[in-house]
Amino acid sequence: MKIICIGRNYTKHIEELQNERPKEPVIFLKPDTAILPKNFPFFIPDFSSDIHHEVEILVKINRVGKHIDPKFAHKYYDEIGLGIDFTARDVQSKLKGKGLPWEKAKAFDGSAVIGEFLPKSEFNSLENINFELTNNGEKVQLGNTSHMLWKIDELISYVSQYFTLKIGDIIFTGTPEGVAQVKTEDVLEGFIEGKKLFRIQVK
Ligand code: MG
């Protein structure tokens, strides 16, 4: 399986990092080795002193597809989840400054938290899903999918122009504002519409 991540999909997050608003979705990949095993703590890696949490809505692909038309994209998933795209912000800033690829900052071991999934039939509208991240019980990121620059079906269509989507692939759809550094002993919990979908201890 592969993990396809979307960057800069929420205006306020683009502003907080002073990034340019993209004309097309920004895409990067994480390998399957980036997945943090279930119930494992997240260990801050030695090569970074500024790891940020980025809470994101996830989409799990359930059939093979390529060049998917946006109007058929809904047939390619039936579960929605929540996760964290852990980012070594200090490493990423250096790479970005030099115009180099971001993998060392984004695709390292443990950088992909994949929480539980919910059937998409549970939602009245996928374009109005509330989600949040708490750190030690305090809300740190609050998002709503209505604020995405590109909606889930548009992302699936766009991504499938470049990469064949396969069963089990996961799309990270971008983070809202509120990204911040994590420290040892932090406990990160993610919720969709009040339902807890993951709990991560930082070490
Ligand atoms: Mg992200």
Side-chain angles (χ1 to χ4, degrees), residues 5-8 13 28 54-56 85 87 106 172-175:
C5 302
I6 308 301
R8 305 182 191 172
H13 172 62
F28 59 93
E54 295 191 354
V55 71
E56 311 201 0
D85 164 23
T87 303
K106 285 284 200 181
F172 277 61
T173 60
T175 194

Side-chain angles (χ1 to χ4, degrees), residues 8 11-12 14 18 28 35-36 40 73 83 124 126 140 151:
R8 305 182 191 172
T11 308
K12 286 184 182 164
I14 294 170
Q18 298 178 323
F28 59 93
I35 298 170
L36 186 67
F40 267 50
N124 293 327
L126 298 183
V140 287
K151 306 300 175 201

Side-chain angles (χ1 to χ4, degrees), residues 92 138-139:
Q92 189 196 27
E138 282 192 28
K139 279 180 199 178

Side-chain angles (χ1 to χ4, degrees), residues 101-162:
W102 296 355
E103 275 78 358
K104 288 195 291 182
K106 285 284 200 181
F108 57 88
D109 289 359
S111 63
V113 172
I114 297 173
E116 302 299 321
F117 283 81
L118 301 168
K120 78 177 180 198
S121 56
E122 278 193 16
F123 301 96
N124 293 327
S125 166
L126 298 183
E127 296 181 12
N128 184 20
I129 299 174
N130 290 298
F131 59 102
E132 67 178 63
L133 182 75
T134 64
N135 188 353
N136 296 324
E138 282 192 28
K139 279 180 199 178
V140 287
Q141 287 193 270
L142 266 179
N144 184 289
T145 53
S146 64
H147 299 138
M148 288 180 168
L149 294 178
W150 287 278
K151 306 300 175 201
I152 290 171
D153 291 353
E154 294 169 332
L155 292 173
I156 287 174
S157 173
Y158 184 81
V159 161
S160 74
Q161 310 303 309
Y162 298 88

